Amino acid sequence: MVVVQEADFDAAALMAELRRRAGPAAGAIVTFTGYVRDFSPEEATETLFLEHYPGMCERELEAIGVQAMSRWQVIDFVIAHRVGALSRNAQIVFVGAASAHRGDAFRACEYIIDALKTRAPFWKRETLASGRSFWVEQRQSDQDRTDSWDAGAAG
């Protein structure tokens, strides 16, 4: 299940839906919720504005989840991502993976969030308390993490 929306999401409801969809075969559900945080310690983030490529974004998120299902014994997954203007501390992303065993659920959840950060067509513009605004560039460490998953699949 993939959801991209401006509205906030209910993480507990998303987890409950994943639990319902996965059924009694799920012995483990691992979730991750990400929040808008301050960009730098010197200045507070006022807002984070997320743009996305509608249609393409949802397809890429679905592909990432399906890849996780094919790499590990994942029964089902949920990805919810917000777009639009978000204030500091607002929920931005929810990822959940259900599996018979915790190891597969942990790895799948971590893979999904890592791949999402580098492959999904989202663009972020951060505005600080001073009014300074800038586009957030992808961090090399995020790309390195995604690359390490791909290298692990090849080996």
Side-chain angles (χ1 to χ4, degrees), residues 1 9 12 15 43 45 62 73 93 111 116 121 129 134 138 154:
M1 181 170 102
F9 54 80
M15 194 190 129
E43 190 173 356
T45 295
E62 182 72 26
Q73 294 184 356
V93 62
Y111 169 79
L116 178 156
F134 55 91
Q138 182 178 322

Side-chain angles (χ1 to χ4, degrees), residues 26 28 42 73 81:
E42 295 85 35
Q73 294 184 356
H81 206 296

Side-chain angles (χ1 to χ4, degrees), residues 29-45:
I29 294 178
V30 173
T31 67
F32 169 83
T33 304
Y35 299 88
V36 177
R37 60 175 170 74
D38 285 332
F39 176 73
S40 72
E42 295 85 35
E43 190 173 356
T45 295

Side-chain angles (χ1 to χ4, degrees), residues 16-81:
E17 176 63 12
L18 178 58
R19 177 75 176 129
R20 186 193 67 73
R21 289 167 46 118
I29 294 178
V30 173
T31 67
F32 169 83
T33 304
Y35 299 88
V36 177
R37 60 175 170 74
D38 285 332
F39 176 73
S40 72
E42 295 85 35
E43 190 173 356
T45 295
E46 200 64 32
T47 59
L48 182 66
F49 186 83
L50 279 94
E51 292 185 20
H52 75 299
Y53 191 119
M56 180 186 280
C57 187
E58 290 84 350
R59 283 190 300 274
E60 186 61 34
L61 295 175
E62 182 72 26
I64 291 167
V66 168
Q67 285 175 338
M69 290 180 75
S70 71
R71 291 178 77 164
W72 298 281
Q73 294 184 356
V74 173
I75 299 164
D76 204 355
F77 67 92
V78 171
I79 302 170
H81 206 296

Side-chain angles (χ1 to χ4, degrees), residues 3 5 11 14 23 28 47 50 56 59 61 63 68 73 90 94 100 107 109 111 115 136 140 144-145 148-149:
V3 177
Q5 62 189 26
L14 290 170
T47 59
L50 279 94
M56 180 186 280
R59 283 190 300 274
L61 295 175
Q73 294 184 356
F94 176 92
R107 284 186 289 279
C109 189
Y111 169 79
V136 177
Q140 185 59 46
D144 291 346
R145 287 185 59 83
S148 72
W149 287 107

Side-chain angles (χ1 to χ4, degrees), residues 1 3-14 33-36 80-94:
M1 181 170 102
V3 177
V4 177
Q5 62 189 26
E6 285 190 28
D8 198 4
F9 54 80
D10 180 338
L14 290 170
T33 304
Y35 299 88
V36 177
H81 206 296
R82 295 183 63 200
V83 294
L86 305 174
S87 60
R88 183 178 55 248
N89 297 323
Q91 297 182 121
I92 188 171
V93 62
F94 176 92

